[in-house]
Amino acid sequence: MTVALLIIDVQHALCSGEYEAFEFKRVIERINVVSKKMREAGALVVLIQHEAPSGPLQYGTEGWSLAAGLDVQSADIYVRKTAPDSFHNTDLQSILKARGVKSLAICGLQSEFCVDTTTRKALALGYPVTLVADAHSTRSNSVLSAAQITAHHNETLANIKSYGPRVAVVPSSEITVHA
């Protein structure tokens, strides 16, 4: 299998309380649909967790743990990160290379931070990306609603041409996995 699914930062602190992502339950349901398709096709599923030295995403805290309802399996790979770029100072790239991964599907939280940054870095590293259009989210800010931010990133990332590899924005129901 040459594709991997990156599930970014679907963590308790980002799915509850002050930092709760817009429609996070819907996002988790759609991530579970895609991860099931990936696993059934033999693809690698990578669960990425952001951590900070203090605050709601401090390593080992309830906030840092994966969100309730997210389907995880024993064969999944876990990557801890400290920056919006899931490749920065992590072993993600070496994991993907060791498994022969040639393309990525990306979903998770938050659209304008870790999903965006990881997608752009993946392109820079030569990976074509399928961004799961309805399986990433964020919080509203003082300028845009969360739905607008997600829609903006779907549009923007799909139009990046300068890296060579491209982003295909595909709804979860239309994701197909080829062995």
Side-chain angles (χ1 to χ4, degrees), residues 78-99:
Y78 293 80
V79 172
R80 294 167 46 191
K81 68 178 181 62
T82 58
D85 174 355
S86 298
F87 293 93
H88 181 72
N89 290 332
T90 71
D91 57 356
L92 179 57
Q93 173 70 337
S94 62
I95 290 167
L96 299 176
K97 280 188 167 190
R99 306 277 169 103

Side-chain angles (χ1 to χ4, degrees), residues 160-177:
I160 296 175
K161 299 177 182 174
S162 56
Y163 291 110
R166 299 291 304 273
V167 175
V169 180
V170 180
S172 57
S173 62
E174 297 177 20
I175 295 289
T176 57
V177 187

Side-chain angles (χ1 to χ4, degrees), residues 27-97:
V27 169
I28 290 173
E29 289 170 4
R30 291 176 176 162
I31 289 171
N32 288 343
V33 166
V34 173
S35 66
K36 182 178 182 195
K37 290 178 186 180
M38 292 286 179
R39 290 181 186 107
E40 287 174 351
L44 180 66
V45 174
V46 182
L47 299 155
I48 300 168
Q49 291 170 269
H50 194 91
E51 63 185 63
S54 62
L57 292 175
Q58 184 175 6
Y59 174 73
T61 65
E62 181 183 13
W64 178 83
S65 66
L66 293 170
L70 183 65
D71 181 29
V72 297
Q73 301 293 318
S74 59
D76 296 345
I77 302 293
Y78 293 80
V79 172
R80 294 167 46 191
K81 68 178 181 62
T82 58
D85 174 355
S86 298
F87 293 93
H88 181 72
N89 290 332
T90 71
D91 57 356
L92 179 57
Q93 173 70 337
S94 62
I95 290 167
L96 299 176
K97 280 188 167 190

Side-chain angles (χ1 to χ4, degrees), residues 4-164:
L5 174 65
L6 305 185
I7 302 172
I8 301 172
D9 299 350
V10 182
Q11 294 168 257
H12 182 75
L14 301 178
C15 295
S16 64
E18 179 182 356
Y19 303 104
E20 182 177 307
F22 176 68
E23 295 187 340
F24 76 90
K25 289 181 182 176
R26 170 193 57 85
V27 169
I28 290 173
E29 289 170 4
R30 291 176 176 162
I31 289 171
N32 288 343
V33 166
V34 173
S35 66
K36 182 178 182 195
K37 290 178 186 180
M38 292 286 179
R39 290 181 186 107
E40 287 174 351
L44 180 66
V45 174
V46 182
L47 299 155
I48 300 168
Q49 291 170 269
H50 194 91
E51 63 185 63
S54 62
L57 292 175
Q58 184 175 6
Y59 174 73
T61 65
E62 181 183 13
W64 178 83
S65 66
L66 293 170
L70 183 65
D71 181 29
V72 297
Q73 301 293 318
S74 59
D76 296 345
I77 302 293
Y78 293 80
V79 172
R80 294 167 46 191
K81 68 178 181 62
T82 58
D85 174 355
S86 298
F87 293 93
H88 181 72
N89 290 332
T90 71
D91 57 356
L92 179 57
Q93 173 70 337
S94 62
I95 290 167
L96 299 176
K97 280 188 167 190
R99 306 277 169 103
V101 171
K102 304 290 185 213
S103 65
L104 299 173
I106 295 179
C107 57
L109 305 173
Q110 291 178 295
S111 302
E112 76 278 34
F113 294 112
C114 301
V115 171
D116 175 90
T117 305
T118 299
T119 299
R120 290 172 190 263
K121 181 61 173 268
L123 293 173
L125 291 171
Y127 294 101
V129 172
T130 299
L131 179 62
V132 188
D134 55 356
H136 65 99
S137 185
T138 191
R139 296 173 52 231
S140 296
N141 62 36
S142 64
V143 178
L144 299 170
S145 71
Q148 289 172 316
I149 294 167
T150 298
H152 169 81
H153 280 77
N154 284 342
E155 180 68 20
T156 301
L157 292 170
N159 284 294
I160 296 175
K161 299 177 182 174
S162 56
Y163 291 110

